[in-house]
Amino acid sequence: MMMTWSRVILIPVFLICYYAPIEDARFWGALAFMVAAITDWFDGYLARKLGSSSKLGAFLDPVADKLIVAAALIVVAAEYNDNLLVIISAVIIMMREVAISALREWMAENNARDVVAVSSLGKVKTASQLAALTWLLYGGELWGINWGELGFPMLYFAAALTLITWVQYTKAALPQIIESTKEENS
């Protein structure tokens, strides 16, 4: 649970670093975001390894993830506002995150949480999204690699996976939604 809260705390740290009037501000902002992303992975790994998950943690973890990603998407969309594909990708990702979070909550209320459990493709989506955002936030060159340029195709890839997983989760939940609708209309 501490790592979940650390991700929430890293949101203002990331934003302050990114917009601070200091040398290499974008690097420091991207680094703070990357630490939050790694913390997300590490938190999940430890919860599985130690069997230390809780209902509150299971609820708060995705909320913390969505908050840090939303903050980064807003910053990236503002930074690259002349690139329509970046803005469209950011909107698609944010729409899907909200929609699937709501769907998962609804499914949990109907004792069907496992139907929309995170898939392996969803994990690839998340990893590519976090990498793309880190690279675009930094936007510079390091070790002879232009990370900003790598970030664009990775963001588009993440947006494509976002759409695919959105459809997959919705299709998986559809029988439960239809059944619930029938019961309500009876």
Side-chain angles (χ1 to χ4, degrees), residues 25-108:
R26 289 181 66 164
F27 170 81
W28 295 111
L31 183 63
F33 178 80
M34 187 175 75
V35 167
I38 291 168
T39 302
D40 175 34
W41 175 85
F42 194 61
D43 189 18
Y45 172 78
L46 282 179
R48 285 185 300 278
K49 189 81 168 166
L50 302 174
S52 63
S53 61
S54 68
K55 285 184 181 182
L56 182 59
F59 174 77
L60 288 179
D61 184 66
V63 172
D65 298 344
K66 304 310 181 241
L67 290 173
I68 189 87
V69 167
L73 284 167
I74 291 167
V75 169
V76 165
E79 186 70 37
Y80 300 99
N81 66 11
D82 59 337
N83 186 326
L84 186 58
L85 281 177
V86 168
I87 294 168
I88 290 170
S89 296
V91 169
I92 287 170
I93 291 169
M94 286 178 43
M95 286 173 57
R96 183 264 191 205
E97 296 303 329
V98 171
I100 297 304
S101 292
L103 179 63
R104 285 192 172 125
E105 183 63 28
W106 186 84
M107 294 296 283

Side-chain angles (χ1 to χ4, degrees), residues 103 106-107 115-116 168-178:
L103 179 63
W106 186 84
M107 294 296 283
V115 173
V116 286
Q168 284 180 335
Y169 292 137
T170 304
K171 280 177 63 175
L174 204 53
Q176 182 73 27
I177 294 168
I178 292 169

